[in-house]
Amino acid sequence: MVQFIEYFEGEQQSVILTEYLEGGELFQRISSPDYHLTEAKCRDLCRQILKGVDFIHSKRILHLDLKPQNIVLCHKLQEKKSSNNGSSSSHNGSAENNQGHPDKLKIIDFGLARALGPPGTGEAIPINMCGTLEFMSPEVMRCSHASPASDIWSIGVILFMMVSGGLSPFWGGNEYRTQRNVLR
């Protein structure tokens, strides 16, 4: 969880001050020429995202805007430094920055999050469309309902993009394919 520091409220706006996460957004990190993305690192990053979402869901909260921009790394990627053998990569298969520390991420931006009712009241809530279209589940896009499965859909899109080198399953040139299909 992102560490809360302070809250300020003014006449026109409110500001929440949190810890500084210097590592940048997920895709900003993995697309860096200095970062060697492997299947093991994808698996580790996805595992962290799933653990974070599992925690959120255990508190009966739906995020509803999971996307790479809302997944931030705690530590920045350091410039590569040559070692004696000329290699700076990790050999244990886990996601690590170039200093050998595991890439640790945090989920941010709960501005669209919704609470599920108390336990026993169901796992779905009625909802209007919210979130980022490219990562939005079909039921949310239909303004039907949202459930923990809605967040899992978004994670699936993120994982697909990670392992495909950034290719989106729903992007078709200048418009979203889903948007063209819905609007025409």
Side-chain angles (χ1 to χ4, degrees):
M1 296 281 294
V2 177
Q3 182 182 358
F4 171 81
I5 297 173
E6 187 68 63
Y7 173 77
F8 302 97
E9 191 168 340
E11 290 181 27
Q12 300 282 327
Q13 61 189 359
S14 300
V15 176
I16 298 173
L17 184 64
T18 65
E19 71 180 296
Y20 177 61
L21 300 172
E22 65 182 355
E25 299 169 353
L26 177 63
F27 280 21
Q28 183 181 38
R29 165 70 61 89
I30 66 175
S31 64
S32 167
D34 293 330
Y35 190 81
H36 180 67
L37 183 63
T38 64
E39 184 179 327
K41 289 178 183 179
C42 285
R43 185 175 50 245
D44 184 59
L45 293 168
C46 188
R47 183 178 295 122
Q48 288 184 62
I49 295 167
L50 287 167
K51 282 183 177 183
V53 170
D54 183 50
F55 175 78
I56 295 164
H57 289 173
S58 76
K59 302 297 182 190
R60 305 211 33 92
I61 296 172
L62 304 177
H63 188 281
L64 298 177
D65 198 20
L66 290 169
K67 57 186 176 183
Q69 294 87 347
N70 288 340
I71 300 170
V72 180
L73 283 292
C74 296
H75 305 288
K76 69 180 183 178
L77 186 64
Q78 301 297 315
E79 290 184 30
K80 288 185 179 182
K81 295 180 181 176
S82 307
S83 62
N84 293 339
N85 64 3
S87 172
S88 62
S89 63
S90 167
H91 297 289
N92 66 6
S94 66
E96 294 183 354
N97 63 25
N98 290 336
Q99 291 181 320
H101 302 297
D103 285 328
K104 183 177 176 187
L105 57 83
K106 294 194 178 189
I107 298 171
I108 63 167
D109 192 359
F110 286 78
L112 297 176
R114 301 287 186 272
L116 291 169
T121 60
E123 292 296 312
I125 57 172
I127 193 155
N128 292 325
M129 186 169 66
C130 69
T132 304
L133 189 60
E134 187 172 7
F135 301 92
M136 190 183 304
S137 67
E139 66 274 11
V140 173
M141 191 177 292
R142 284 192 309 267
C143 301
S144 168
H145 66 280
S147 71
S150 306
D151 284 341
I152 299 302
W153 171 279
S154 301
I155 294 169
V157 175
I158 293 166
L159 181 58
F160 180 91
M161 292 177 75
M162 275 198 309
V163 299
S164 69
L167 180 66
S168 169
F170 306 113
W171 181 257
N174 295 327
E175 297 180 49
Y176 291 102
R177 289 183 192 152
T178 53
Q179 186 178 29
R180 283 200 305 253
N181 292 340
V182 170
L183 297 177
R184 289 188 181 168

